Amino acid sequence: MSDYPETAIVVPCYNEAARLDADAFVQFAAEHPSVRFVFVDDGSTDTTRETLHALSDRLGPCGEVLSLDVNQGKAEAVRCGMLHAFDLDCSRVGYWDADLATPLTEIPRFVEILSTRSERFVVFGARVQLLGRRITRRRARHYLGRVFATAASMLLALPVYDTQCGAKLFRAEPRTRALFEAPFVVTWTFDVELIARLIAGERERGGGDVGELIYELPLDAWRDVEGSKVRPRDFLRALFELLRIRKRYLR
Ligand SMILES: Nc1nc2c(ncn2[C@@H]2O[C@H](COP(=O)(O)OP(=O)(O)O)[C@@H](O)[C@H]2O)c(=O)[nH]1
Ligand SMILES: [Mg+2]
């Protein structure tokens, strides 16, 4: 086996001390030593930093902590973590919400898609309620989320179903690293901005349909975890952010 992890997963953490399920990470890492977790403490004001260092000690080579002194927001925390992760010489890098709304057991399914479909660069988790799956979302969040996702899909002129799921995996290539090089112009909707960057980049290099590069994977399990920091007013803010994305990338 190589000395390098094959997959790096960035976990943005802001005041997650109470929610973080350390045992779930330890158990997953014991079964999947080729995955390395990069936890980003985003200037938390609780004991997240200590919690993450204790967890990373338990994970050994499968875990590390990056610390941002001042809270920068999820988008910037993910971006810093991803740039670091791209430098680890992995074949795949991604990000995953700390509350494990998407369970870690989905990671191998994401890896499998990138391993078997060479034309795909990106895998997005998609929260689709189907028989035989365990997708539990609060009704209000679900419907607001569907309105947002539909608006995002229209803006991007791309039939993407779920831009906002917090579980995504990228093939580690200069083309995907480039998506994270500049700071995002939005905060809540940076996943949409990533797609807009991909579209703008493909247009520039005369590439094809971005829909051929992304694979949306319907999750087997997803649940709303208590303690979300997203508030109803953020929904309106997210819609305004879409306009900013259009102005910046899609005119
Ligand atoms: N770095 C950073 N991460 C954040 C911030 N707010 C939320 N997050 C992280 O983003 C992820 C999702 O947050 P959550 O509050 O569960 O949002 P929701 O699942 O969209 O309702 C978690 O990993 C959080 O720790 C923030 O201000 N900074
Ligand atoms: Mg959550």
Side-chain angles (χ1 to χ4, degrees):
M1 229 179 85
S2 118
D3 289 340
Y4 296 103
E6 286 154 32
T7 303
I9 300 286
V10 172
V11 183
C13 300
Y14 178 60
N15 289 352
E16 290 288 356
R19 283 204 303 185
L20 199 78
D21 183 353
D23 290 345
F25 285 96
V26 171
Q27 188 185 338
F28 180 86
E31 289 160 12
H32 303 90
S34 63
V35 176
R36 181 180 179 95
F37 292 101
V38 177
F39 299 96
V40 183
D41 170 38
D42 184 19
S44 297
T45 53
D46 66 358
T47 56
T48 293
R49 190 167 297 193
E50 293 76 16
T51 305
L52 291 178
H53 280 291
L55 171 56
S56 133
D57 286 347
R58 291 174 71 193
L59 291 172
C62 292
E64 68 178 301
V65 183
L66 295 188
S67 293
L68 307 177
D69 285 331
V70 180
N71 180 237
Q72 310 269 332
K74 180 180 174 185
E76 183 61 11
V78 165
R79 195 180 76 82
C80 291
M82 289 294 281
L83 288 176
H84 174 81
F86 274 108
D87 289 339
L88 294 175
D89 279 334
C90 298
S91 351
R92 300 166 280 266
V93 296
Y95 53 88
W96 215 265
D97 279 355
D99 59 9
L100 302 186
T102 312
L104 295 173
T105 47
E106 294 275 355
I107 293 176
R109 298 182 65 220
F110 282 59
V111 168
E112 172 78 11
I113 300 294
L114 290 184
S115 312
T116 53
R117 297 174 186 258
S118 58
E119 81 288 2
R120 301 285 159 175
F121 276 67
V122 188
V123 185
F124 286 3
R127 298 162 294 178
V128 191
Q129 218 158 14
L130 299 168
L131 294 177
R133 319 274 169 126
R134 284 167 292 126
I135 309 293
T136 50
R137 295 181 78 177
R138 267 173 289 147
R139 197 175 290 255
R141 280 290 299 263
H142 172 70
Y143 288 117
L144 283 179
R146 290 316 309 147
V147 170
F148 178 81
T150 305
S153 164
M154 286 165 66
L155 173 96
L156 297 165
L158 190 73
V160 54
Y161 179 80
D162 187 2
T163 54
Q164 297 315 107
C165 177
K168 297 194 165 69
L169 190 67
F170 298 73
R171 196 180 291 287
E173 303 250 342
R175 196 161 154 193
T176 47
R177 189 185 198 283
L179 300 175
F180 294 90
E181 248 144 42
F184 295 108
V185 302
V186 296
T187 53
W188 299 102
T189 59
F190 72 96
D191 307 77
V192 178
E193 187 171 353
L194 280 173
I195 304 174
R197 285 181 174 182
L198 199 55
I199 292 171
E202 285 306 291
R203 194 181 290 156
E204 215 164 89
R205 58 192 281 282
D209 177 8
V210 161
E212 302 290 318
L213 303 178
I214 305 174
Y215 187 93
E216 288 194 286
L217 177 65
L219 298 172
D220 274 340
W222 192 91
R223 69 195 166 97
D224 253 320
V225 179
E226 293 289 308
S228 164
K229 293 171 200 81
V230 178
R231 305 274 159 260
R233 67 163 185 267
D234 296 325
F235 170 73
L236 280 181
R237 198 189 299 182
L239 290 179
F240 280 109
E241 287 191 353
L242 289 184
L243 298 178
R244 205 176 312 153
I245 292 173
R246 185 177 68 165
K247 185 158 174 237
R248 175 73 177 75
Y249 301 96
L250 302 169
R251 289 276 178 91

